[in-house]
Amino acid sequence: KTGLSGYGDIGEMAAGTIGKQAVHVSLVISQFATNVAYMIFISQMAESLGVLSFVSKSQVIMIQVAILVPLCWIRDLHKMEFAILGADVLIIFGLGAVLWYVFQDLQVHGPDP
């Protein structure tokens, strides 16, 4: 074991305090960019589902922000256990629905492209 507690500590061991700060900044930028891309993906998915006939794209993004910001304030992941379990169940349900439709399509049309 190294006794290091995170990526920042590894950066500090490799390049000093500048390395630690560089690692922390790059992690924040990476997480921010990932969240922005995810929010854009969700708004595009809402558009393809026809949700934008009820609300605008900016309202969809604001709804996401209203949900995500309070979730970011939760510092202990153990408090999120039920939400994570619910997300896992929904992922399994979605996968099952996709597989069901694929197998139905294969029965009707066969494996032709």
Side-chain angles (χ1 to χ4, degrees), residues 81-94:
E81 288 175 352
F82 293 112
I84 293 169
L85 180 62
D88 291 342
V89 168
L90 290 173
I91 288 170
I92 291 170
F93 175 75

Side-chain angles (χ1 to χ4, degrees), residues 53-113:
S53 62
F54 304 110
V55 294
S56 70
K57 190 178 270 193
S58 61
Q59 288 173 325
V60 170
I61 291 175
M62 291 309 297
I63 291 168
Q64 292 178 65
V65 169
I67 293 170
L68 292 175
V69 167
L71 289 175
C72 291
W73 293 333
I74 299 173
R75 303 289 292 171
D76 187 13
L77 282 179
H78 294 291
K79 295 178 182 176
M80 297 289 295
E81 288 175 352
F82 293 112
I84 293 169
L85 180 62
D88 291 342
V89 168
L90 290 173
I91 288 170
I92 291 170
F93 175 75
L95 179 61
V98 167
L99 290 175
W100 185 72
Y101 280 110
V102 166
F103 288 129
Q104 273 198 338
D105 189 62
L106 282 173
Q107 287 178 346
V108 172
H109 301 291
D112 293 332

Side-chain angles (χ1 to χ4, degrees), residues 2-24 27:
T2 62
L4 303 175
S5 63
Y7 293 120
D9 291 341
I10 295 170
E12 186 174 25
M13 291 289 289
T17 53
I18 293 175
K20 181 177 183 176
Q21 293 303 318
V23 168
H24 285 170
L27 285 172

Side-chain angles (χ1 to χ4, degrees), residues 22-67:
V23 168
H24 285 170
V25 167
S26 67
L27 285 172
V28 168
I29 290 171
S30 173
Q31 290 295 315
F32 181 76
T34 301
N35 286 326
V36 169
Y38 186 65
M39 291 173 69
I40 292 169
F41 169 74
I42 293 294
S43 65
Q44 289 175 344
M45 186 64 67
E47 182 178 12
S48 70
L49 293 173
V51 173
L52 295 185
S53 62
F54 304 110
V55 294
S56 70
K57 190 178 270 193
S58 61
Q59 288 173 325
V60 170
I61 291 175
M62 291 309 297
I63 291 168
Q64 292 178 65
V65 169
I67 293 170

